[in-house]
Amino acid sequence: MTTPGWAILSAVIYLVLIFTLALMTFRKGHWVLGIIGFIFPLLWLIGAIMPSRRRYR
């Protein structure tokens, strides 16, 4: 695979990972981390790892 091919593949994998982390962050109820995560994507990882804010009865 050529260098541009690897760059495109890496970019696609990165975007899928970031989208998945953002989705997990929003689903767990961490809206502030999800919104700020557009500037600092590391916050999506933190929000995805944190426990859910919803309480189950």
Side-chain angles (χ1 to χ4, degrees), residues 6-55:
W6 282 111
I8 292 170
L9 180 64
S10 298
V12 168
I13 291 171
Y14 176 76
L15 290 175
V16 168
L17 177 67
I18 289 297
F19 178 75
T20 303
L21 288 174
L23 189 62
M24 288 175 62
T25 299
F26 281 117
R27 279 196 168 173
K28 287 190 170 188
H30 301 292
W31 293 100
V32 174
L33 289 177
I35 293 169
I36 298 174
F38 284 104
I39 301 169
F40 302 107
L42 181 63
L43 293 176
W44 283 332
L45 178 62
I46 294 169
I49 293 172
M50 289 174 66
S52 178
R53 292 188 62 196
R54 298 183 187 124
R55 296 190 180 179

